[in-house]
Amino acid sequence: METNTDSNHNPPKTKKQIFILSGQSNMAGRGGVIKNHHRHQHWDGVVPPECCPNPSILRLSASLQWEPAHEPLHADIDTKKVCGVGPGMSFANAVRQRVVGELGLVPCAVGGTAIKEWARGEELYENMVKRAKDSVKGDNNSEIKALLWYQGESDTSSEHDAEVYRVNMENLIHNVRQDLNLPSLPIIQVAITSGSEYIEKVREAQKGIDLAKVICVDAKGLQLKEDNLHLTTEAQVQLGHMLAEAYLTHFDV
């Protein structure tokens, strides 16, 4: 005799946890991007086990559709460059082992961009906010949990840009929280490990930001590719784990 056991089989649905990935090329991912003898770049296609797809990890595509997430996460977002492995999948897989339910990644990073291009009113900023809002639109079962931010290399070549970095980053944090109506949105920013002359000034600014629910993960010491600018695939995997550890330690509730 059949009994209706639906109620037993459908536990309360857990919320989809959404993470915004933003910044410039090291967030978009250049791990495994190599030049051939014609100087053309391509991705080597190597996906470390820590970055493998999983049915519970989704990404918001450029056309605002949820789809299974896989490397390269930013292929349809950072379209002017060749994308490879970034920290996003390694982060998501590490978080997935500790939380229940689906994870949604919202890639927004674009290579070679300075922080002034992420000011409110600028295209990159407005696109990030739009994508973040669309990721939860009409879905009471989704929640934006954090913004992961890795940017600053483009601000290291001018003393002026390095000097105003902190104020620009603090403005970005205030603006994005206001525009998403999430006044205490957790922000995990990466202190850069590569750049030009004024790198230390920018790093100082990044580590000096003292706002509630903003923490800094330091990329210094992670391995760079031969270009001395972009993290290797292995370093991206490590960074993903560092970001996950920071999130789970400080913000996972």
Side-chain angles (χ1 to χ4, degrees), residues 23 158 182 198:
S158 133
L182 295 169
Y198 299 101

Side-chain angles (χ1 to χ4, degrees), residues 41-136:
Q41 291 197 323
H42 67 279
W43 176 48
D44 65 12
V46 175
V47 178
E50 298 91 339
C51 302
C52 280
N54 183 277
S56 65
I57 305 173
L58 305 174
R59 76 181 280 275
L60 192 68
S61 72
S63 57
L64 305 174
Q65 304 299 311
W66 285 112
E67 60 183 30
H70 60 79
E71 298 288 8
L73 270 181
H74 277 79
D76 61 350
I77 301 294
D78 189 12
T79 52
K80 293 188 178 126
K81 299 281 171 63
V82 176
C83 292
V85 174
M89 287 301 291
S90 145
F91 166 82
N93 273 309
V95 170
R96 177 181 64 78
Q97 290 167 18
R98 299 263 289 274
V99 302
V100 181
E102 286 184 327
L103 297 182
L105 302 175
V106 182
C108 299
V110 176
T113 52
I115 192 134
K116 63 185 175 209
E117 296 176 75
W118 292 91
R120 185 190 259 157
E122 297 290 334
E123 189 183 349
L124 289 171
Y125 174 86
E126 297 302 332
N127 190 45
M128 171 176 71
V129 168
K130 180 185 189 313
R131 287 176 59 71
K133 284 180 174 172
D134 276 348
S135 74
V136 291

Side-chain angles (χ1 to χ4, degrees), residues 77-241:
I77 301 294
D78 189 12
T79 52
K80 293 188 178 126
K81 299 281 171 63
V82 176
C83 292
V85 174
M89 287 301 291
S90 145
F91 166 82
N93 273 309
V95 170
R96 177 181 64 78
Q97 290 167 18
R98 299 263 289 274
V99 302
V100 181
E102 286 184 327
L103 297 182
L105 302 175
V106 182
C108 299
V110 176
T113 52
I115 192 134
K116 63 185 175 209
E117 296 176 75
W118 292 91
R120 185 190 259 157
E122 297 290 334
E123 189 183 349
L124 289 171
Y125 174 86
E126 297 302 332
N127 190 45
M128 171 176 71
V129 168
K130 180 185 189 313
R131 287 176 59 71
K133 284 180 174 172
D134 276 348
S135 74
V136 291
K137 196 185 251 173
D139 182 1
N140 296 331
N141 229 30
S142 294
E143 189 180 356
I144 298 174
K145 301 296 280 188
L147 164 65
L148 310 186
W149 179 264
Y150 189 170
Q151 184 277 338
E153 296 94 342
S154 286
D155 293 272
T156 61
S157 48
S158 133
E159 187 169 18
H160 172 263
D161 289 349
E163 276 173 355
V164 294
Y165 191 88
R166 179 168 170 170
V167 104
N168 283 334
M169 187 63 202
E170 288 178 349
N171 284 342
L172 186 149
I173 292 166
H174 292 307
N175 290 342
V176 82
R177 284 174 166 174
Q178 193 173 27
D179 292 344
L180 295 179
N181 201 20
L182 295 169
S184 55
L185 174 69
I187 314 274
I188 306 174
Q189 50 154 5
V190 180
I192 57 172
T193 183
S194 60
S196 307
E197 195 179 344
Y198 299 101
I199 178 172
E200 284 312 320
K201 229 182 217 335
V202 171
R203 282 176 48 80
E204 212 175 285
Q206 291 171 324
K207 296 199 290 185
I209 290 173
D210 184 20
L211 297 172
K213 296 208 166 183
V214 178
I215 58 171
C216 190
V217 165
D218 198 342
K220 195 167 193 175
L222 291 178
Q223 191 183 7
L224 293 169
K225 292 163 58 178
E226 288 166 14
D227 62 9
N228 278 323
L229 183 62
H230 296 116
L231 297 184
T232 64
T233 296
E234 195 181 311
Q236 287 286 18
V237 169
Q238 281 176 272
L239 179 63
H241 288 166

